[in-house]
Amino acid sequence: MNLLLISIDSLRHDYVARVNPSIVSPRFNELTRNFQYYENCFSISSATRPVHVSLMSGLYPFEHGILSQRHKQQNPNISMLFDLLRLAGFSCAGHSEAIEIFHGLNLGAPLYHLDPQPEIGISQLRQAITSPTGRQCLFLHYWSTHTPYGASDGLATGETARLLATGQRKIVIERYTHSVQQVFECKIAPLLTMMDLSDWVIIILGDHGESWTSYEPYHGLTLDNSVLRVPLFVHIPFQTF
């Protein structure tokens, strides 16, 4: 049995089709029809770095040392998931669309750049899935759902913040919705299609959500439910929930 762990950066709990019919993701919906969905899942932090170290270590941020995006001193005396899986005979690797976010962190496995262009990214992952022999664990981190999701200035608090401050929240939400649908339909669905789902344990989750207010144009300043509440999909072959 293999393990696929997918982290979708900034994916809000209410932006999946299971709870929001306005999210158009028919291929993803069909492929994950038998996945268990947990609606009341809450993240450990509103920042990407501490969330992922907690995800890989099972520890709170105050235990592993990465308390925010700016913290770099990770506790070296902790066991990471990938380290334990490697000892159990797994081949482990990670791929991220924003590999620089993880600079200086030890996630327990090598991390490679994942091209944000869907066709190129899928080609990379096809090779990653088909090349190894034996059991494997694959970690994927999709970044395109993180602010600015299309903002022309490329800054998290730039154009998005201005749109919110001038009452143009609708534009921000439209951009976010489009990026979420693209991840589901153009990145994850094609990946699942080329996998033998009977041989993979699959976990898909958001690392944290988003906030679209004038005082918090993306996330990281508050602990509102829109920021900490995230979706969680789980697929365990031959397991009924």
Side-chain angles (χ1 to χ4, degrees), residues 73-209:
Q73 291 301 113
Q74 181 178 339
N75 182 353
N77 301 314
I78 57 177
S79 298
M80 305 300 285
L81 172 65
F82 291 157
D83 290 326
L84 299 176
L85 288 174
R86 191 178 299 104
L87 290 174
F90 282 75
S91 171
C92 302
H95 300 259
S96 172
E97 291 181 340
I99 194 171
E100 64 279 1
I101 290 294
F102 300 101
H103 179 71
L105 296 182
N106 171 28
L107 297 182
L111 196 61
Y112 304 102
H113 170 69
L114 178 62
D115 198 289
Q117 294 299 318
E119 298 82 5
I120 301 175
I122 286 297
S123 178
Q124 290 176 267
L125 296 177
R126 180 181 292 108
Q127 183 177 4
I129 289 172
T130 58
S131 295
T133 58
R135 293 180 296 175
Q136 62 176 309
C137 177
L138 188 62
F139 163 64
L140 306 181
H141 172 240
Y142 291 105
W143 175 256
S144 55
T145 42
H146 187 286
T147 312
Y149 31 80
S152 60
D153 63 4
L155 300 174
T157 57
E159 183 182 352
T160 299
R162 289 194 295 273
L163 288 170
L164 292 169
T166 54
Q168 300 183 77
R169 188 171 184 266
K170 182 179 179 181
I171 296 176
V172 175
I173 293 176
E174 287 175 348
R175 289 175 173 178
Y176 178 77
T177 300
H178 173 75
S179 64
V180 167
Q181 292 174 165
Q182 185 187 54
V183 166
F184 285 146
E185 289 294 280
C186 303
K187 297 181 179 181
I188 298 179
L191 175 65
L192 297 179
T193 300
M194 65 187 190
M195 299 174 66
D196 179 359
L197 299 187
S198 68
D199 198 34
W200 286 83
V201 172
I202 300 173
I203 299 172
I204 305 172
L205 76 162
D207 64 340
H208 53 72

